[in-house]
Amino acid sequence: MSENRVVEGRMVTANKLAELVEGDSVMEVDSIEEADRECPACGGSVLTVTYMPSVTELVTGWKCQDCEWSETERN
């Protein structure tokens, strides 16, 4: 599993980051990675995490480390 990261002033695991992006619990999570983009809301650093909220869905999520902004791409 990936290392912990600071998001909105709290240490989070990859699983917790996926839950923040999804707004609910998730089944399986990949590691946290630095995204190659800035937050459109505040200009802060963005992290990315890939996860499965259900058996049939794969989601890539992006979450700002400094504010509440997040975005998903569902496959």
Side-chain angles (χ1 to χ4, degrees):
M1 195 53 92
S2 68
E3 63 186 71
N4 295 341
R5 301 291 175 96
V6 176
V7 176
E8 294 183 59
R10 299 173 289 183
M11 291 297 286
V12 297
T13 62
N15 193 65
K16 181 62 179 173
L17 180 62
E19 289 176 354
L20 286 171
V21 172
E22 187 65 18
D24 202 356
S25 61
V26 297
M27 293 181 60
E28 188 173 323
V29 180
D30 201 0
S31 62
I32 298 172
E33 297 179 17
E34 299 288 331
D36 190 23
R37 64 195 285 188
E38 288 183 351
C39 175
C42 74
S45 298
V46 174
L47 298 174
T48 186
V49 62
T50 303
Y51 60 93
M52 293 179 68
S54 67
V55 177
T56 60
E57 189 173 31
L58 181 66
V59 177
T60 300
W62 293 271
K63 173 75 178 91
C64 179
Q65 288 185 271
D66 301 322
C67 73
E68 293 182 6
W69 177 87
S70 65
E71 183 176 85
T72 60
E73 180 178 298
R74 297 180 178 277
N75 296 324

